């Protein structure tokens, strides 16, 4: 039995990532075994190691996949409203963020992050930072554009803006969780 062809390989990789997200969210990262993941996907454990060298690598891929999709959606939203008045732009960005934070997928990601707290990626970076760093970079580019356009003061700090913007939304999104 050889390796699956390209399309089947992508489908298997996708199935592993989807099952890993579900398993890690339901059982916790540390309580989830590679054997349980293989069973959930319907493949042998060795097949998982063909795609990923470790459970941590799977978690990294789950997060990278999520961040890539999320950043792409946020950038599309920003591009759509970038020339709008500041109030409209902030309203659209807030709505997009609340949609993200209250989605079933993001709720799973958040549960995974809580159960894998302290877990570092292959490069030594805490995995939870992957969720915040890319979004901060996108917001930083937006802030730079708004400063150049004269819509925001030059002394606005990105870290402070991120905290003031995200903290209330995180609280609001948590209050919206039916099972919170």
């Amino acid at each position: 039995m050889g390796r699956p062809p390209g399309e089947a390989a992508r489908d298997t990789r996708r199935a592993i990532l989807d099952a890993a997200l579900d398993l890690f969210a339901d059982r916790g990262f540390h309580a989830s075994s590679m054997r349980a993941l293989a069973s959930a996907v319907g493949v042998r454990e060795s097949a998982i190691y063909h795609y990923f060298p470790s459970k941590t690598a799977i978690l990294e891929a789950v997060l990278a996949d999520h961040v890539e999709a999320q950043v792409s959606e946020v950038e599309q939203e920003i591009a759509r409203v970038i020339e709008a008045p500041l109030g409209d732009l902030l309203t659209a960005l807030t709505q997009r963020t609340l949609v993200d934070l209250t989605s079933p997928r993001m709720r799973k990601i958040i549960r995974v992050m809580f159960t894998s707290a302290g877990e570092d990626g292959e490069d030594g970076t805490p995995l939870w930072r992957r969720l915040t760093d890319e979004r901060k970079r996108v917001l930083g580019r937006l802030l730079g554009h708004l400063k150049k356009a004269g819509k925001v003061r030059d002394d606005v700090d990105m870290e402070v803006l991120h905290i003031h913007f995200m903290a209330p939304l995180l609280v609001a999104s948590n209050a919206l969780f039916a099972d919170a």
Side-chain angles (χ1 to χ4, degrees), residues 84-145:
L86 185 59
D88 294 346
L89 188 144
L90 291 175
T91 297
L93 193 56
T94 300
Q95 289 172 339
R96 172 82 249 158
T97 301
L98 279 173
V99 165
D100 290 343
L101 289 172
T102 57
S103 73
R105 182 169 182 80
M106 182 56 136
R107 289 176 63 186
K108 288 178 184 179
I109 292 285
I110 290 169
R111 283 196 307 270
V112 169
M113 292 313 333
F114 282 124
T115 67
S116 64
E119 193 70 31
D120 290 342
E122 300 290 328
D123 65 357
T125 303
L127 291 176
W128 63 267
R129 294 204 52 125
R130 311 232 172 166
L131 291 177
T132 59
D133 287 354
E134 272 307 307
R135 192 171 197 111
K136 276 199 246 184
R137 279 192 267 285
V138 170
L139 290 176
R141 288 192 298 271
L142 171 62
L143 181 59
H145 176 80

Side-chain angles (χ1 to χ4, degrees), residues 11-167:
D11 291 347
T12 301
R13 185 178 191 283
R14 173 86 266 140
I16 292 168
L17 294 178
D18 291 344
L21 177 58
D22 291 342
L23 192 66
F24 296 165
D26 291 343
R27 295 185 184 177
F29 174 72
H30 295 288
S32 300
S33 68
M34 294 295 267
R35 179 172 291 158
L37 179 56
S39 176
V41 177
V43 297
R44 291 189 305 249
E45 197 173 330
S46 61
I48 293 176
Y49 286 108
H50 167 73
Y51 295 96
F52 301 99
S54 66
K55 189 166 67 166
T56 299
I58 295 170
L59 178 57
E60 284 186 275
V62 166
L63 295 177
D65 183 61
H66 174 75
V67 166
E68 183 180 313
Q70 187 183 45
V71 166
S72 175
E73 290 172 9
V74 169
E75 286 178 334
Q76 288 174 14
E77 183 67 24
I78 289 171
R80 188 180 69 75
V81 297
I82 191 73
E83 299 305 326
L86 185 59
D88 294 346
L89 188 144
L90 291 175
T91 297
L93 193 56
T94 300
Q95 289 172 339
R96 172 82 249 158
T97 301
L98 279 173
V99 165
D100 290 343
L101 289 172
T102 57
S103 73
R105 182 169 182 80
M106 182 56 136
R107 289 176 63 186
K108 288 178 184 179
I109 292 285
I110 290 169
R111 283 196 307 270
V112 169
M113 292 313 333
F114 282 124
T115 67
S116 64
E119 193 70 31
D120 290 342
E122 300 290 328
D123 65 357
T125 303
L127 291 176
W128 63 267
R129 294 204 52 125
R130 311 232 172 166
L131 291 177
T132 59
D133 287 354
E134 272 307 307
R135 192 171 197 111
K136 276 199 246 184
R137 279 192 267 285
V138 170
L139 290 176
R141 288 192 298 271
L142 171 62
L143 181 59
H145 176 80
L146 294 175
K147 285 179 179 181
K148 283 182 184 176
K151 292 182 179 182
V152 175
R153 293 187 337 243
D154 283 340
D155 64 343
V156 173
D157 179 79
M158 181 59 222
E159 290 294 322
V160 172
L161 177 66
H162 188 256
I163 290 168
H164 282 282
F165 182 74
M166 289 303 295

